[in-house]
Amino acid sequence: MNPATLTECIATALDTTGVTDSWDYQIDADDNLGVVMRLPAAQVMLVLDALRKDSDLQFVQLIDLFGADIRDLIEVTYRLRSLRHNVDLIIKCELPYDGDYQSVGHVFASALLPERELCEMYGLTLHGHSNPKRLLTIEGMPPFLRKSTAIRTKEEIWG
Amino acid sequence: MGIGKKPSEALLTPVVPCEDEASLQEDMLEGYTNPGWLSPQPPAGIVVPRNTRRIADDPLQLSTDHYLLNVGPQHPSTHGALRVILEMDGERIMSGEAHVGQLHRGIEKLAEHRRYHQLATLVDRADYVSGITVETAAALATEQLAEIEVPPRAQWLRCLMAEVNRIASHYMWIGPMGLDSGAMGIFLYMQKDRELFIDVLEEMTGQRLMFNYVRPGRVTGDLTPRAEKLLRDYLKIGIERMEEHWDSLFESELFQIRTKGIGVLSADDALNYGATGHVLRASGIDFDVRRDRPYDAYDQFDFDVMTRTGGDVFDRVTCRFDEIRQSLRIIEQCLDGMPPGDIKAKMPKVLRVPEGEACGIVESARGEVGIHLYSDGSDKPVRMRYRPPTLYSLGIAEILLPNMMFADAIVGMGSFDFCFGEVDR
């Protein structure tokens, strides 16, 4: 399935859900990543749910969920996979530092563990999760993957 | 008891005789006023060996106070550093929660301070059992960003070494699976075979575990005559040895009793919980990154993707065992058709890649590994994400634990092949 067709299918799928009329997303085709969809964080769960239930696209797997510090904002990336069309879709949203992250665990259960990691590593607050604890580190550790948290390597000190 | 032969009937002490279970239930319930218990039937499609059904519920009101049991992080059956807190009712697990993080070294953070060709060293430390495959993922992502053309011989060498490493990793897993389920001998035989593949890796890369072999645009060593001879020698006896391993472990009725019908994962759950690799294929979903998203030279090889339909522990183990045979096929094709030429693309000493993002996905020994790189145009990545397949398997283990017996839980958790280097990173 080429990027143009996928873009059309996604637009059709979202229009026919009837959940809301004010979808606010933009879709680009990236050379390396394939189709990338950017949307506000409030609509992520609705879009994931709609794409999963869509009978044509069938994005049944959430392959990966992670964050990245892009200076002043945390960018959260979801990678969905449709086995029927053998295609991946990247969905990105942005959250402020120390923002609130709404769990998508009851849409895709695979998000449950990576969400805990995401929130502890970037200092986000996890909402709507069945077990909202830290995953890898203990209480009191700083959000490690933020750029403001320094590690003391030779490279960092000497450039 | 001879290997591969059926044990005598006396060895198999029935837990609950299956045939006249109904009359037994009536006997046990006589005089009690709780006829409401029902034994859950095994899921459709699972053939449970005769006489192996356990008492599934609480007919005599024998349930005790629940207690918490800590397993690990140093318990040998946790295959690394997994700590599980189990809520137990007698020997039956009510719920389980995994505590991870004992091996957390901040590899993703460290990668932000390394140049692109140094990423291979770091990701080796993440998945320390099948390093070549994850190095390939890092190299693929960098090559996508920098638009590097890899010479064909280097691509074929990557596939060859990845398959050698995959077999070594699978042997490293199936042996301890035998230990978990009570079979001692198979571990020693598997280690003996694994040693050969580790020897090949040492000959080619200079290391036995942390290979640092696949770099962006190249590999570090060409195929040596000794490595080729070792592999060709094994290919002559390989299939026969596989048959022996099959007979000694999988044909054993004791092993089948311990694994069939245990830890059943449905296809829906496998998809929903993000399973990849053998966990997904054992539940009946036919997806393999090597075939469906071919990278390097995998589109030029002839191999099958092994699937099962049951989704229990036995299917997960045998599914992976069959993958070893397919890996041997790929190795044979690699050795026969290795193209001549250079193993290095022309590269600058310090690689600076254009701004952007790229994701390299590979089929590692445990499932799909994806390395996602963010670049800002400098010589170091802004962010590296390592997708650990066994982190997602851990979520699956948590839902499979309830209502298992404790001894089954050890086998069930073993069947996912956790590698805590990559769960914790």
Side-chain angles (χ1 to χ4, degrees):
Chain A
M1 184 177 249
N2 61 25
T5 326
L6 180 59
T7 310
E8 281 173 27
C9 288
I10 290 170
T12 319
L14 291 185
D15 286 343
T16 51
T17 51
V19 180
T20 171
D21 294 331
S22 56
W23 294 111
D24 179 20
Y25 62 87
Q26 61 181 54
I27 297 186
D28 314 306
D30 188 290
D31 288 345
N32 295 329
L33 296 181
V35 177
V36 180
M37 185 175 180
R38 288 171 196 279
L39 68 168
Q43 291 190 349
V44 165
M45 203 191 310
L46 295 175
V47 168
L48 291 183
D49 199 30
L51 291 178
R52 184 185 180 195
K53 285 177 183 160
D54 187 65
S55 56
D56 174 39
L57 287 171
Q58 292 184 12
F59 278 103
V60 287
Q61 261 192 314
L62 176 69
I63 290 292
D64 205 356
L65 189 164
F66 58 94
D69 185 348
I70 52 167
R71 301 287 177 188
D72 306 328
L73 287 171
I74 308 294
E75 183 183 77
V76 184
T77 305
Y78 305 80
R79 188 146 65 88
L80 299 183
R81 173 166 297 162
S82 164
L83 293 173
R84 184 179 177 206
H85 297 293
N86 192 14
V87 70
D88 280 11
L89 169 68
I90 304 259
I91 293 182
K92 284 178 184 290
C93 69
E94 286 166 0
L95 291 169
Y97 276 16
D98 302 319
D100 293 326
Y101 177 82
Q102 186 65 37
S103 168
V104 296
H106 59 273
V107 182
F108 288 105
S110 55
L112 288 171
L113 287 175
E115 272 172 352
R116 288 165 63 185
E117 185 194 333
L118 166 80
C119 289
E120 71 170 325
M121 287 298 172
Y122 290 98
L124 304 171
T125 315
L126 184 52
H127 294 285
H129 193 279
S130 54
N131 188 14
K133 287 195 281 193
R134 298 171 78 102
L135 184 70
L136 297 178
T137 54
I138 54 171
E139 292 296 330
M141 302 306 279
F144 276 117
L145 287 179
R146 275 196 201 167
K147 291 291 176 190
S148 54
T149 309
I151 55 169
R152 296 196 180 90
T153 62
K154 287 177 196 169
E155 292 88 343
E156 203 174 47
I157 295 165
W158 297 329
Chain B
M1 185 178 73
I3 287 171
K5 287 178 189 152
K6 288 201 171 178
S8 67
E9 297 254 330
L11 277 175
L12 294 171
T13 311
V15 181
V16 171
C18 218
E19 283 160 0
D20 46 4
E21 199 176 7
S23 63
L24 182 87
Q25 287 177 12
E26 282 167 17
D27 290 349
M28 290 170 86
L29 283 176
E30 198 177 352
Y32 288 87
T33 54
N34 180 19
W37 74 283
L38 292 168
S39 64
Q41 294 300 312
I46 301 296
V47 181
V48 181
R50 282 178 62 236
N51 295 344
T52 57
R53 295 278 309 286
R54 276 102 171 155
I55 295 175
D57 213 330
D58 187 18
L60 305 175
Q61 299 282 312
L62 290 177
S63 72
T64 52
D65 285 348
H66 293 186
Y67 61 95
L68 291 183
L69 180 68
N70 176 63
V71 185
Q74 293 301 329
H75 192 274
S77 73
T78 52
H79 300 273
L82 170 64
R83 179 174 172 227
V84 194
I85 310 281
L86 299 171
E87 182 197 354
M88 308 281 294
D89 173 13
E91 269 201 85
R92 183 169 299 282
I93 296 169
M94 294 289 119
S95 67
E97 188 192 354
H99 288 234
V100 296
Q102 279 91 1
L103 269 178
H104 179 61
R105 293 145 294 173
I107 281 178
E108 290 180 355
K109 181 79 173 173
L110 290 172
E112 295 168 10
H113 301 274
R114 296 288 185 280
R115 289 178 177 153
Y116 284 96
H117 69 271
Q118 293 173 312
L119 292 182
T121 322
L122 272 180
V123 294
D124 263 346
R125 270 75 181 164
D127 186 349
Y128 46 75
V129 190
S130 64
I132 300 270
T133 45
V134 289
E135 285 168 23
T136 310
L140 286 173
T142 314
E143 284 153 11
Q144 278 180 30
L145 278 170
E147 295 174 2
I148 300 167
E149 195 79 20
V150 188
R153 190 177 175 84
Q155 288 187 345
W156 280 63
L157 279 169
R158 283 180 187 184
C159 294
L160 173 66
M161 297 317 288
E163 295 308 317
V164 169
N165 199 189
R166 191 185 313 277
I167 295 176
S169 170
H170 283 8
Y171 277 152
M172 187 65 209
W173 173 64
I174 293 174
M177 264 312 283
L179 286 183
D180 284 348
S181 58
M184 268 315 274
I186 190 71
F187 178 68
L188 305 174
Y189 290 109
M190 290 285 176
Q191 287 295 343
K192 187 181 164 196
D193 276 24
R194 174 176 181 262
E195 199 63 18
L196 180 131
F197 291 98
I198 293 290
D199 280 348
V200 173
L201 287 162
E202 187 183 9
E203 171 75 21
M204 298 274 291
T205 68
Q207 298 275 343
R208 290 173 70 82
L209 215 53
M210 306 287 170
F211 309 107
N212 201 5
Y213 179 70
V214 181
R215 311 278 181 86
R218 66 192 181 105
V219 292
T220 55
D222 208 341
L223 184 64
T224 61
R226 178 169 171 262
E228 185 169 357
K229 181 174 181 305
L230 282 171
L231 284 173
R232 291 240 184 240
D233 286 350
Y234 189 82
L235 285 174
K236 280 179 205 156
I237 57 162
I239 298 299
E240 200 182 318
R241 292 289 280 278
M242 301 289 290
E243 298 287 332
E244 278 178 27
H245 295 326
W246 180 274
D247 285 348
S248 58
L249 186 62
F250 301 107
E251 291 290 321
S252 156
E253 202 165 339
L254 294 171
F255 182 76
Q256 295 188 15
I257 289 169
R258 288 300 307 278
T259 52
K260 277 192 178 173
I262 305 290
V264 181
L265 178 69
S266 68
D268 281 346
D269 277 348
L271 290 172
N272 194 17
Y273 277 82
T276 48
H278 71 290
V279 184
L280 189 63
R281 289 193 285 274
S283 292
I285 310 288
D286 190 7
F287 187 86
D288 190 312
V289 180
R290 290 176 291 172
R291 185 196 62 193
D292 297 318
R293 308 280 171 86
Y295 53 95
D296 284 343
Y298 277 111
D299 48 354
Q300 300 167 45
F301 298 133
D302 179 27
F303 65 99
D304 298 328
V305 176
M306 288 295 148
T307 55
R308 293 283 191 277
T309 51
D312 57 356
V313 172
F314 187 77
D315 281 352
R316 283 196 278 278
V317 184
T318 51
C319 179
R320 260 185 136 184
F321 192 79
D322 287 347
E323 277 178 26
I324 299 179
R325 293 186 183 149
Q326 300 303 321
S327 293
L328 286 176
R329 276 177 72 188
I330 298 178
I331 287 174
E332 190 164 20
Q333 292 169 48
C334 270
L335 292 175
D336 289 342
M338 181 80 68
D342 206 355
I343 58 166
K344 291 177 184 174
K346 279 207 163 64
M347 298 262 296
K349 273 196 173 169
V350 176
L351 185 63
R352 285 175 202 280
V353 306
E355 200 171 328
E357 281 176 54
C359 185
I361 58 173
V362 299
E363 184 77 23
S364 139
R366 291 168 184 71
E368 178 185 326
V369 166
I371 301 258
H372 198 111
L373 290 176
Y374 286 63
S375 158
D376 63 348
S378 70
D379 57 343
K380 289 165 188 162
V382 178
R383 165 87 167 105
M384 184 193 86
R385 161 68 177 176
Y386 181 108
R387 183 214 184 255
T390 45
L391 176 69
Y392 295 85
S393 304
L394 199 65
I396 297 170
E398 280 186 350
I399 57 159
L400 289 186
L401 283 176
N403 212 26
M404 270 177 150
M405 302 294 282
F406 179 73
D408 293 341
I410 297 296
V411 183
M413 286 194 293
S415 70
F416 293 107
D417 191 11
F418 295 127
C419 173
F420 283 90
E422 68 172 14
V423 173
D424 301 344
R425 277 155 288 144

